[in-house]
Each structure stands twice: as structure tokens, then as C-alpha cells.
Amino acid sequence: MAAARVSASRVNEHLFLTEHPLQRSGARSITLLAEREDVDQVTSADLDRVAKHVVSDVVDAAVADKTGAAYDWWKILFAMYPNAKPTHAKRRRDRDELTAEVARYFAPDVAASETAGSEAAGGEVRPCAFCGGATTVLWAKSTLPMFDTTKALNTLPPRLAGWPVCRPCRLALWAMPYGASVTLGSATVLTCENAEIERRFTEANLARSARIRQTGFSSLAANASPESVVLLALEQYAVVRPVAATLWSFKNDNQEPWLRVSETRIAVVTFLRALGGDGEAKKGWWVLRRRLTRRGPDGKISQHGRDLLARALFASTNSRSDRILSHLSEQAGDLSKISGSTIRAWRALHALYLKEMHGVDTADLRPVTTLLTDWIMQEKNPRGRFNEYCRAANRSYVLQRLLMEATARLWLDGRRPADITKTAQPLLHGPQGYQWRGQLFFEVSAELDRRGAAIGKKSDDEADAIEPDGPLFGTDPADPDDEGA
């Protein structure tokens, strides 16, 4: 948080970018609404113009008929500021009264000498809880999203009726929904070391929130998820220096408020960069993305594969699973429905992902791959032994027994099996063994296809054969219904 900027005679009228995710998102929104390039360029006159804009939108939403488009914006505000007068269920619908009330939220602070004894202002100048700037105004749960509980007096500093919040930060906290990814019940904001990433995320959501206020959610096109928007920006603007990104999703109503935090690792950027330069792995990515896409009975996309993959790259702070590997494993469950070229593409994608995200070099799997494929190809119809291997592929002790049987069978048949001594321990019992075993499945499948074993489809689906050159999280040119970020 910024250092304290308290002055005995002057209150703060300058917008600062703090480390608080909600204030930070709102400050970015104000900057773009004011048509400025940077937060430092926002003037007091800009704050006046943005405040007028916000007040007008809040009042329009508060007095809107339940069937009107603006009512959806009220639902969004209600999910963040449920106890404020313009969002309260028992609010009066008088436009003039509400306008005066909301305008007071963002009115300029006055000097301490002019507010002595004022209960609303607290009677003295204090440092803003967000930026440290001087302020005479106290805010609490009714106007601050994700602050305190209904028992606010038990969590605030002694003898304070609210948190000190300066005018620019008060405005930022109500401008936040404009640049956040919002639903009817929650909002998601972004923090990232790269200012351009934050700016692009805010720009995308400003355009979307404007459409919501104009047309409501019902006529809104299915846009990319917040994760997809961020990853597209990382793909395009984190080229020189890889950075991580964090999404803060929250709901603040009076029933069950919650906060969920998810983040990327810096390695995600290096993975995306490497993926863009590997033609085989990139094809595997697009095929996986398309196969994860689902359509409803009306033919419209109900689940974007792009969004599923984006969420998988945003790991929850408490998650220990890797959903990219899980998606690949699930999609490869029945190889009879997958062509040989797709198997090879997924092998390349799986290997690249393990290398960039987990530091796993799967080159040592070659001897085990040779051993298993030699054993499987001994049969006139290799499907039986391949199915036996599939049942053991993800179970370390069952796979160990199978490898021993395959080695013995090859010796008995006069063949010299490959030496797997170096690979056996990390594959079967190492801490990353499940990742090695996942890669081994694709290596064996691809090698069997190369040797002519009939385990997959003979040809690609039409969509799988197309290899787009665009961004990994952009619109799919093979699908006219796919909405980009």
C-alpha cells in the first residue's frame, strides 16, 4: 500500500494505484473512463466527470423497472453493495433524492477545520485505508465491497464508525464493476505486475459492462471467460518478461459472501511462448480445445474449450491437481475415436507441457516405450495387449508387474528387451511418476500408430485437420460461432 500522505490542512484529490485488488481495478477503470493513458494523469476535473457518470448509472439502475435492461446493472451493484441506499430492497424510487444521495458518496472532501464535530466525517483528518491520502470521510460495509461484517463495530479500530476513505478511492470502489468481469451475482478483478495486462483486461470489461447497461444480460453475446481474457493478454504483451497474474472473484451480498483467488505461474507464459513455436504441440492444443467445446440443443456453444483450458492454467491457491493433464487424459480415453495425427500431436503437447510447467524431461521414456510396443506387437491382433496396458497405465504397481511380464515374454521368445533400469524408478515410484506415466501412454500410442497397429481412426475430423495461426486464446477460425476475448 502507498505510504501515508496525510496533511493537516489539505485532503487528497489525487488518484493513486494501490495494491488492494478492488481499489486497483477501480483506479484502472477511472483512468480509462477519463480517457487517460495512466493513473497519474487523472485530474480533479476527470474525477468530477467520472463521478457524474457513475452517479447517473447507479440512479438509472436503482429506478429501473424489473423488465428493463438497466435492472441487470442494479443486480450487479446489489451483489457488491447490498446495504447501500440505491441498492437496498426497500429503496425509494425518487430519482432526485437518489441522485443527491449517491452524489454525496463522491463529493470532494473538505478540510478538517470545516468539518469539526461532523459525525459523517469523523471530525478529523485521517489517512485513507487504501492509498494513505488524507481524508475526513468514514465508510463501512454499506458502501465498501468485501469490508467487515454486519458486526462492523467489532472489527473496526476503536472509536471509529468506519474506514477512512478519500474521494478518489471512494470513486474507485464504485467504478470497479465497470472494469471487472461481472455476472449477476459476482465480480472478478485482476492484479498483474504488467500494467498493459491490467489495462487490456479492464478495456475488455469496460466494453462488456457498457453493453450490459444498454441491453442487459439476455442479449449479451457469450464472451470469453476472465481467465481467457487474461491469458490472451499474457500471450500478446508478456513477451519480453514473463509475469504471473492473479484473479480475485467475489460475492458480497448479505447471504453468503465469498472470495476465491486463482493465479497463474510465471511458467505459464514460457509454456505459451514455447507452444506457439511448436507446430505439432500447437495442433494438439487446438484439437483439444475443439474437443472440449460443447453445444446445447439449440446448436449454440454452451461450453468453450478455450475457457476450460484457460481455467486449468489458473490454479487455485489450494489446488494440487493439474487439469490440463486431466483434460488430455480424459480426451484420449478411447483411441478408436482419435486419429494417428491427433495422437502424435497430443504426445507433443503433453511432453511440452511437462517440460515447461513441471520441469520433467521425458526423453528417458524411450526404452520403456520400445519394450511395451515390442511386447504389444508380438500379437497378431495387438488390440488385446494394448487394452491390457491401458488398464495398467495409471497404476504404478500394476504397471510394474506388466513391465516384468513383458520383459520375461520377450526373453522367452528370443528377443532382447530394452533396458529400462534407469527409467523404472521415476516412472513407477517417483514423486512425478503420474506425469511420466501419462506421457508414456501417449508415447506408446504414437509408436504403435507409427508401426501400423490399428488402434486409432484412419483420418482426422475436418476441424481437427485445420491448424490456425492466431492466438491460442483468440477466436477459432474453424468455428464461426466461437466468440473471442
Side-chain angles (χ1 to χ4, degrees):
M1 185 173 290
R5 304 180 181 89
V6 181
S7 168
S9 59
R10 298 197 54 159
V11 289
N12 180 46
E13 275 292 308
H14 187 75
L15 180 65
F16 293 100
L17 198 64
T18 76
E19 296 303 316
H20 192 286
L22 303 188
Q23 190 276 350
R24 190 178 186 88
S25 173
R28 294 282 187 203
S29 298
I30 291 174
T31 303
L32 292 175
L33 288 170
E35 299 180 346
R36 300 295 183 183
E37 290 296 322
D38 192 80
V39 173
D40 292 338
Q41 298 174 359
V42 176
T43 66
S44 293
D46 291 330
L47 295 178
D48 292 339
R49 287 191 296 107
V50 174
K52 186 176 181 179
H53 181 172
V54 172
V55 170
S56 176
D57 288 341
V58 171
V59 173
D60 286 346
V63 301
D65 183 87
K66 289 186 177 182
T67 60
Y71 191 69
D72 280 353
W73 191 247
W74 179 87
K75 292 178 183 178
I76 291 169
L77 297 177
F78 177 75
M80 300 182 206
Y81 323 95
N83 297 313
K85 287 192 177 181
T87 60
H88 200 281
K90 295 182 179 180
R91 67 193 179 282
R92 295 186 62 180
R93 304 300 178 94
D94 185 282
R95 179 179 289 273
D96 292 338
E97 181 180 317
L98 283 172
T99 298
E101 176 67 32
V102 179
R104 282 195 290 271
Y105 290 173
F106 315 119
D109 286 32
V110 290
S113 60
E114 300 176 53
T115 58
S118 169
E119 181 179 348
E124 63 180 277
V125 177
R126 295 183 175 89
C128 174
F130 296 94
C131 72
T135 183
T136 59
V137 176
L138 301 178
W139 266 16
K141 179 179 172 64
S142 62
T143 44
L144 283 175
M146 294 303 290
F147 262 71
D148 300 319
T149 66
T150 52
K151 301 177 180 179
L153 293 179
N154 295 330
T155 59
L156 285 163
R159 297 185 298 280
L160 278 186
W163 293 93
V165 189
C166 68
R167 183 205 186 197
C169 287
R170 295 198 304 272
L171 183 56
L173 289 168
W174 279 69
M176 175 267 297
Y178 291 77
S181 178
V182 293
T183 70
L184 288 176
S186 66
T188 300
V189 300
L190 166 74
T191 55
C192 181
E193 292 180 17
N194 187 313
E196 190 62 29
I197 306 299
E198 289 186 343
R199 181 183 177 88
R200 295 294 173 178
F201 183 79
T202 306
E203 283 181 335
N205 290 316
L206 279 174
R208 182 170 180 266
S209 66
R211 290 196 295 272
I212 292 172
R213 290 191 299 277
Q214 292 170 3
T215 63
F217 273 100
S218 61
S219 58
L220 192 66
N223 283 66
S225 68
E227 294 86 354
S228 293
V229 174
V230 176
L231 287 167
L232 177 60
L234 286 171
E235 192 181 346
Q236 294 175 328
Y237 299 103
V239 177
V240 177
R241 184 173 72 91
V243 293
T246 303
L247 287 174
W248 310 75
S249 300
F250 71 95
K251 179 182 180 182
N252 189 53
D253 65 13
N254 285 326
Q255 298 177 3
E256 292 291 337
W258 50 260
L259 172 68
R260 182 173 61 248
V261 182
S262 60
E263 57 192 359
T264 65
R265 295 163 48 199
I266 290 179
V268 166
V269 176
T270 59
F271 164 66
L272 295 178
R273 185 185 301 166
L275 183 57
D278 186 323
E280 192 80 76
K282 187 176 181 180
K283 177 184 177 181
W285 176 269
W286 280 99
V287 174
L288 179 62
R289 171 176 155 164
R290 290 171 188 146
R291 286 178 176 264
L292 289 172
T293 296
R294 297 287 181 269
R295 294 182 181 275
D298 58 358
K300 294 183 179 180
I301 293 178
S302 58
Q303 170 186 284
H304 275 282
R306 171 203 61 219
D307 293 343
L308 283 181
L309 293 174
R311 293 188 189 104
L313 289 173
F314 267 89
S316 168
T317 52
N318 298 317
S319 175
R320 295 185 179 181
S321 62
D322 192 312
R323 288 174 291 173
I324 292 290
L325 298 181
S326 297
H327 287 317
L328 272 170
S329 176
E330 291 164 3
Q331 290 300 309
D334 186 357
L335 291 187
S336 65
K337 299 178 180 179
I338 301 170
S339 68
S341 66
T342 295
I343 292 172
R344 293 190 295 274
W346 282 353
R347 173 186 62 180
L349 174 59
H350 198 283
L352 183 67
Y353 184 82
L354 289 183
K355 178 182 177 182
E356 298 295 338
M357 295 295 292
H358 296 285
V360 174
D361 185 353
T362 57
D364 290 339
L365 285 173
R366 187 64 191 171
V368 187
T369 302
T370 302
L371 171 66
L372 286 169
T373 50
D374 284 349
W375 171 71
I376 292 170
M377 292 297 290
Q378 277 187 314
E379 294 289 303
K380 187 173 182 179
N381 181 0
R383 171 63 68 175
R385 282 189 174 179
F386 177 69
N387 288 338
E388 186 178 347
Y389 161 65
C390 289
R391 289 190 292 270
N394 289 320
R395 302 163 64 189
S396 59
Y397 287 101
V398 179
L399 179 60
Q400 181 178 11
R401 186 168 62 249
L402 181 66
L403 290 174
M404 294 171 64
E405 292 175 358
T407 301
R409 184 71 265 167
L410 289 172
W411 277 116
L412 290 172
D413 290 347
R415 304 280 298 274
R416 185 179 180 85
D419 183 4
I420 64 172
T421 305
K422 180 181 177 182
T423 312
Q425 177 59 33
L427 172 69
L428 298 171
H429 307 299
Q432 294 176 300
Y434 77 98
Q435 296 169 349
W436 284 59
R437 292 191 292 275
Q439 183 64 34
L440 179 63
F441 172 80
F442 288 105
E443 296 290 345
V444 170
S445 301
E447 179 62 15
L448 286 171
D449 179 73
R450 189 187 71 81
R451 296 192 189 187
I455 61 169
K457 287 172 54 179
K458 292 183 178 181
S459 61
D460 284 324
D461 291 332
E462 183 178 351
D464 290 354
I466 300 174
E467 300 181 33
D469 294 324
L472 301 169
F473 290 94
T475 302
D476 187 346
D479 189 344
D481 296 326
D482 190 15
E483 294 285 344

